[in-house]
Every structure is written in C-alpha cells, then in structure tokens.
Amino acid sequence: MKKIHLATLFSGIGAIEQAFDKKHIKYDIVFACDNGERYIKESYEDILKSLKGKSDLEIQKAVKNIYDSTGKPNNVKKTYCANYNISEDRWFEDIRFLNGEQFKGKVDLLVGGSPCQSFSISGKRAGLEDTRGTLFFDYARLIKET
C-alpha cells in the first residue's frame, strides 16, 4: 500500500495520525501547523509588511521567533514532534503565514479542525470579530494552494 502524504493544520495532538496508526495506515507528514495556544501582540498586517520579499524559509523562521518571544513554549509542538516523525522545517507556527504553494502536488490529504471558540456557545461568540473565527479562510486558501 502506498503511503499517504499527510498535511495537518491546527494539528493539536495529531488525531488523524492516531487514527492512521490504529488502522495501520502508512503515512508521511508533509507539514503540520499549530501555534500551541500562544498569542502574539503584533498585528497580522505589521508582520506581513516586515516579511515582504522574504523566502518561505525566512518567513517561517521570523514567525517562529515572534512566537518564541512570547516566552511561552509551544507544548503542542513538543508533544506532536515527540509522537510523530516530523522535522523542525516542516512545522509551522501560524497558518496565516504558511504558503501552501511550496507543497503543491505533494499532499494527498490535508486535515485540520479550525478553532470553534469564536462561534461556540462555550466561547465568547465573537464570530468573525475574533481572529480565530477568520482562520478557516486560511484553511480554505491552503486547500486551494496545495
């Protein structure tokens, strides 16, 4: 059986990976992305301006540095990397700065569960006024790009 080339967004603990492991489905992780519930103060627009003209790798490193400067560790990443075969260069901190074009034709299955707190009755129900509520637009963009 051919290995599935898997990419995950809002990767968390790796639910799809757990399901594949349980069913003995072979897969390679193309990339994974999760900010580990770390939040940054800089606006998306300001960060985007500062990254203009940079390569995908430079953007990935800059965004990682911004998140690392919060002083809060990405425990989701630590756990995910301990459980799955993925290298540092295939982990992304923020879906908004991930260019899916670099993975075009390399992904068989792209999965993820975008944050629901913006819409859930358990959350503040801020909808699209909450940044998390707009992240599904990036999810859709990455589906198209990959």
Side-chain angles (χ1 to χ4, degrees):
M1 177 200 269
K2 176 188 162 199
K3 281 187 178 182
I4 294 173
H5 296 102
L6 176 66
T8 67
L9 301 167
F10 315 105
S11 302
I13 62 165
I16 191 72
E17 295 85 343
Q18 286 294 308
F20 282 1
D21 288 346
K22 233 177 196 180
K23 293 294 183 182
H24 307 289
I25 298 171
K26 296 179 192 262
Y27 62 95
D28 282 324
I29 300 170
V30 178
F31 68 83
C33 179
D34 198 304
N35 72 357
E37 296 187 11
R38 299 183 304 167
Y39 303 101
I40 54 177
K41 295 176 185 171
E42 296 89 341
S43 76
Y44 170 73
E45 292 78 16
D46 289 343
I47 295 171
L48 205 54
K49 283 180 198 173
S50 72
L51 299 175
K52 192 169 179 85
K54 304 237 185 245
S55 71
D56 291 330
L57 185 57
E58 290 171 317
I59 290 170
Q60 181 181 352
K61 286 180 179 179
V63 171
K64 180 185 180 311
N65 288 337
I66 292 168
Y67 274 94
D68 287 349
S69 73
T70 66
K72 184 178 178 189
N74 188 338
N75 291 321
V76 171
K77 176 184 175 184
K78 285 180 186 177
T79 302
Y80 190 94
C81 291
N83 289 317
Y84 307 107
N85 183 22
I86 184 169
S87 60
E88 178 81 23
D89 65 323
R90 293 185 292 142
W91 180 270
F92 296 85
E93 302 290 335
D94 193 320
I95 188 174
R96 299 172 299 170
F97 301 101
L98 174 51
N99 176 9
E101 295 287 337
Q102 63 186 310
F103 301 107
K104 192 164 193 76
K106 297 177 183 174
V107 175
D108 297 321
L109 180 62
L110 175 65
V111 298
S114 57
C116 65
Q117 297 94 328
S118 304
F119 306 100
S120 169
I121 58 171
S122 296
K124 294 182 180 176
R125 301 192 73 177
L128 297 175
E129 298 302 315
D130 181 341
T131 303
R132 296 172 298 186
T134 64
L135 294 177
F136 70 86
F137 290 120
D138 286 292
Y139 192 166
R141 172 185 57 80
L142 286 164
I143 291 169
K144 183 177 179 181
E145 288 176 2
T146 57

